[in-house]
């Protein structure tokens, strides 16, 4: 490298233009979870015996996947012979199995249903929207509500306030003079009515 000559232009070591490679925006928590769920489901299909492709996946395979996930659940679901069946807060522990909570499964199916279509799947062939999946989720909801003694109630949506209309009948022709003043003897206020 040649020594710098006084008075000659020096190259600027810092870039003269701002960096054009900005970091992509961070995905939302929902989008990140949806991506993880989708990758987990695809891994499940690859590990399936025999391995399955997404195109051959049906609602029955989605049900297998949901039942497989129960082994990782953290929600105690009492069996009908358990003395704590139907009690929301049992006084001691019992050998009943842990399962995935209905709300978690419902949210998971919603995310996977969206991910399927975002990854090129047709809405009419979406296995996560299959009737069997909806029925299974309803059965899980009902059985867990009975077993845990916790009723699942539909959240009430906040409604927008409705505007109440009021009908006002006014006779604008009675006793009004050309200056817009009501000359009715019963009117003591002398209010001016705008005409027009």
């Amino acid at each position: 490298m040649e020594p710098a000559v006084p008075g000659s232009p020096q190259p600027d070591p810092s870039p003269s233009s701002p960096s054009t490679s900005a970091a992509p925006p961070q995905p939302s928590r929902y989008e990140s979870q949806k991506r993880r769920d989708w990758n987990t489901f695809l891994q499940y299909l690859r590990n399936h015996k025999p391995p399955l492709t997404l195109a051959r996946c049906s609602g029955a395979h989605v049900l297998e996947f949901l039942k497989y996930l129960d082994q990782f659940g953290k929600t105690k679901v009492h069996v009908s012979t358990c003395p704590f069946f139907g009690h929301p807060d049992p006084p001691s522990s019992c050998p009943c199995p842990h399962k995935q909570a209905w709300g978690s499964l419902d949210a998971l199916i919603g995310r996977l249903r969206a991910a399927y279509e975002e990854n090129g799947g047709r809405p009419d062939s979406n296995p996560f929207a299959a009737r069997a999946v909806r029925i299974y989720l309803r059965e899980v909801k009902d059985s867990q509500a009975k077993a845990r003694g916790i009723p699942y109630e539909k959240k009430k949506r906040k409604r927008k306030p409705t505007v109440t209309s009021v009908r006002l009948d006014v006779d604008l022709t009675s006793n009004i003079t050309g200056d817009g003043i009501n000359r009715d003897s019963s009117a003591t206020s002398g209010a001016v009515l705008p005409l027009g």
Side-chain angles (χ1 to χ4, degrees):
M1 186 169 180
E2 296 181 350
V5 179
S8 65
Q10 299 291 321
D12 187 6
S14 64
S16 59
S17 64
S19 175
T20 57
S21 61
Q26 196 75 336
S28 69
R29 184 173 168 219
Y30 170 80
E31 291 296 328
S32 298
Q33 185 65 53
K34 184 168 59 174
R35 186 179 313 113
R36 281 193 300 272
D37 293 339
W38 183 247
N39 290 335
T40 302
F41 182 71
L42 293 178
Q43 184 66 44
Y44 174 79
L45 292 181
R46 283 191 293 273
N47 294 339
H48 192 272
K49 301 292 183 212
L52 279 169
T53 62
L54 189 58
R56 299 200 56 196
C57 179
S58 69
H61 298 112
V62 173
L63 294 180
E64 284 178 19
F65 176 65
L66 295 178
K67 291 172 184 175
Y68 158 78
L69 290 177
D70 270 341
Q71 66 183 309
F72 307 111
K74 298 176 184 168
T75 301
K76 178 79 77 170
V77 180
H78 302 289
V79 296
S80 59
T81 56
C82 177
F84 303 129
F85 182 83
H87 293 283
D89 296 314
S92 62
S93 65
C94 64
C96 292
H98 284 86
K99 295 188 173 190
Q100 291 287 341
W102 164 78
S104 299
L105 293 176
D106 189 50
L108 171 69
I109 289 299
R111 290 189 299 269
L112 289 173
R113 189 175 181 174
Y116 178 83
E117 293 175 16
E118 288 173 9
N119 287 282
R122 293 190 339 259
D124 59 331
S125 65
N126 192 331
F128 303 100
R131 184 173 186 267
V133 174
R134 292 194 310 270
I135 291 170
Y136 176 76
L137 286 175
R138 190 177 317 120
E139 288 173 354
V140 168
K141 176 183 174 183
D142 294 343
S143 67
Q144 286 188 7
K146 288 176 188 168
R148 298 177 63 216
I150 301 171
Y152 291 109
E153 295 178 9
K154 198 170 191 176
K155 290 183 180 178
K156 294 181 180 178
R157 288 193 233 177
K158 292 182 181 178
R159 293 189 174 163
K160 293 181 182 178
T162 57
V163 177
T164 305
S165 62
V166 177
R167 181 176 174 179
L168 183 61
D169 291 327
V170 178
D171 183 7
L172 297 176
T173 60
S174 68
N175 296 327
I176 297 178
T177 61
D179 59 3
I181 298 175
N182 187 345
R183 302 286 185 211
D184 189 2
S185 60
S186 64
T188 57
S189 65
V192 177
L193 298 176
L195 296 175

